[in-house]
């Protein structure tokens, strides 16, 4: 009996902007909506959030394996089927980022913009923002929201909030980075470049990003307003990193240091 051929996702039609969150993705998404109206924009399409929670439960042995994978794949095929055949969809999805290795083997011609941010400022921003709208008040009480790096599992309960976030930053970026050599096109973009006050640095970052997400892009002078920051976080639970206790700063450096060096971030104060 002939085996049924597996469906494949066309990476020319569905492209990804992946990150840990709090890296400028909202700014980039809204920028695309204004300037590249021919693109389809998908922001954390359902059931990405549920699939993330199920994936995390799978990692703890509390859910059947591949449940999240099947759910994610079905949602991607749904996105493509609902769009016009000549439309390119750009998906922004931080819930998808930790489990990219679970399903991207079924994507042909993979295109990824990988947005990163220095872990010190990211920890501060994520620790204070937590989640959008009402979810920020509930996220601490929902099971399977923490991303536990395998190397931190044994000591997880004794870690500070800073260290847990550091391990999350490391895990998510490691998983996205694994796609670099299987992508048709992959680009690493620093939050600090994308929002830089230096016009040339900022415009170069935007130009490179557009080259990944828009198949018709031929180069232009598009720019963003760096003063119009969206989804701002405010100092509340976690102070600026220069005010962190030295032992916390040292621990975060130990956790994130190798990846920081790879990304070109300084590990010293």
């Amino acid at each position: 009996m002939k085996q049924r051929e597996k469906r494949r996702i066309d990476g020319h039609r569905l492209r990804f902007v992946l990150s840990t969150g709090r890296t400028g993705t909202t700014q980039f998404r809204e920028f695309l909506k204004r300037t590249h109206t021919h693109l389809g924009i998908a922001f954390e399409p359902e059931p990405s959030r549920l699939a993330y929670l199920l994936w995390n439960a799978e990692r703890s042995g509390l859910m059947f394996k591949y449940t999240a994978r099947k759910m994610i794949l079905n949602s991607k095929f749904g996105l493509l089927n609902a769009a016009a055949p000549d439309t390119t969809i750009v998906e922004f999805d931080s819930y998808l980022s930790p489990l990219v290795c679970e399903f991207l083997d079924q994507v042909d011609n993979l295109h990824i913009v990988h947005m990163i941010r220095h872990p010190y400022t990211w920890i501060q921003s994520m620790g204070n923002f937590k989640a959008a709208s009402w979810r920020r008040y509930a996220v601490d009480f929902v099971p399977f929201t923490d991303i536990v790096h395998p190397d931190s599992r044994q000591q997880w309960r004794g870690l500070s909030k800073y260290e847990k976030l550091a391990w999350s930053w490391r895990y998510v970026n490691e998983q996205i980075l694994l796609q670099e050599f299987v992508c048709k096109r992959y680009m690493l973009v620093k939050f600090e470049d994308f929002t830089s006050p230096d016009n040339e640095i900022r415009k170069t970052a935007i130009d490179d990003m557009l080259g990944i997400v828009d198949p018709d892009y031929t180069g232009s002078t598009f720019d963003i307003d760096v003063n119009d920051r969206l989804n701002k976080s405010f100092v509340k639970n976690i102070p600026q990193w220069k005010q962190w206790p030295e032992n916390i700063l040292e621990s975060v450096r130990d956790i994130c240091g190798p990846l920081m060096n790879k990304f070109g971030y300084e590990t010293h104060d």
Side-chain angles (χ1 to χ4, degrees):
M1 183 175 178
K2 187 177 179 180
Q3 285 188 335
R4 183 180 176 183
E5 185 178 352
K6 288 185 177 180
R7 292 184 296 173
R8 306 287 300 175
I9 295 172
D10 182 0
H12 286 303
R13 291 192 59 211
L14 180 59
R15 306 183 178 203
F16 299 92
V17 178
L18 302 178
S19 76
T20 56
R22 311 306 299 158
T23 58
T25 51
T26 298
Q27 199 88 17
F28 186 42
R29 184 187 80 228
E30 295 305 309
F31 165 79
L32 287 181
K33 285 182 179 180
R34 293 192 308 271
T35 61
H36 290 64
T37 55
H38 59 286
L39 297 174
I41 305 297
F43 173 64
E44 297 176 358
E46 294 297 343
S48 288
R49 187 178 288 105
L50 176 59
Y52 165 79
L53 295 175
L54 293 177
W55 164 80
N56 229 351
E58 285 178 27
R59 298 175 74 219
S60 300
L62 300 176
M63 181 61 62
F64 291 116
K65 198 172 181 182
Y66 304 127
T67 301
R69 173 185 167 90
K70 292 176 183 177
M71 187 177 291
I72 288 289
L73 285 172
N74 286 335
S75 74
K76 302 313 153 208
F77 290 122
L79 275 177
L80 292 172
N81 291 337
D86 59 346
T87 298
T88 296
I89 301 169
V90 183
E91 179 170 341
F92 292 77
D93 204 339
S94 59
Y95 289 106
L96 186 66
S97 299
L99 56 155
V100 289
C101 296
E102 298 289 323
F103 83 96
L104 287 186
D105 61 303
Q106 284 194 228
V107 182
D108 296 321
N109 301 306
L110 183 60
H111 292 68
I112 289 180
V113 173
H114 178 186
M115 298 187 74
I116 63 171
R117 182 172 181 171
H118 195 295
Y120 297 176
T121 64
W122 180 84
I123 288 169
Q124 177 192 334
S125 181
M126 180 58 77
N128 289 319
F129 185 78
K130 291 189 177 183
S133 66
W134 60 268
R135 293 185 181 88
R136 67 170 53 97
Y137 305 107
V139 67
D140 290 336
F141 305 100
V142 178
F144 307 116
T145 56
D146 287 334
I147 298 175
V148 182
H149 194 291
D151 291 347
S152 69
R153 192 171 296 279
Q154 289 187 344
Q155 71 265 35
W156 184 259
R157 290 183 180 276
L159 295 178
S160 68
K161 57 188 174 184
Y162 302 84
E163 293 164 316
K164 288 180 177 180
L165 285 168
W167 280 111
S168 174
W169 180 91
R170 174 172 159 179
Y171 184 87
V172 174
N173 283 308
E174 283 176 345
Q175 297 308 301
I176 304 173
L177 193 60
L178 286 173
Q179 310 310 311
E180 178 180 6
F181 299 107
V182 300
C183 279
K184 182 178 180 64
R185 296 194 68 186
Y186 166 95
M187 183 186 174
L188 189 75
V189 182
K190 290 183 177 180
F191 167 83
E192 295 81 5
D193 291 344
F194 176 66
T195 60
S196 174
D198 185 304
N199 291 339
E200 289 305 312
I201 292 175
R202 186 177 66 253
K203 288 183 178 180
T204 296
I206 294 169
D207 188 66
D208 290 342
M209 294 161 77
L210 291 174
I212 301 289
V213 301
D214 186 350
D216 300 322
Y217 185 64
T218 57
S220 188
T221 56
F222 287 107
D223 199 2
I224 64 166
D225 182 358
V226 293
N227 296 312
D228 184 26
R229 293 277 295 278
L230 303 176
N231 274 356
K232 293 180 182 179
S233 67
F234 300 93
V235 175
K236 185 178 180 182
N237 301 305
I238 295 182
Q240 295 183 353
W241 67 268
K242 290 185 177 180
Q243 298 174 14
W244 297 355
E246 181 57 37
N247 65 312
I248 289 294
L249 194 57
E250 184 176 354
S251 182
V252 170
R253 279 197 294 260
D254 289 342
I255 295 166
C256 301
L259 209 53
M260 290 170 66
N261 288 329
K262 185 174 181 64
F263 291 159
Y265 287 130
E266 297 288 348
T267 56
H268 57 70
D269 295 356

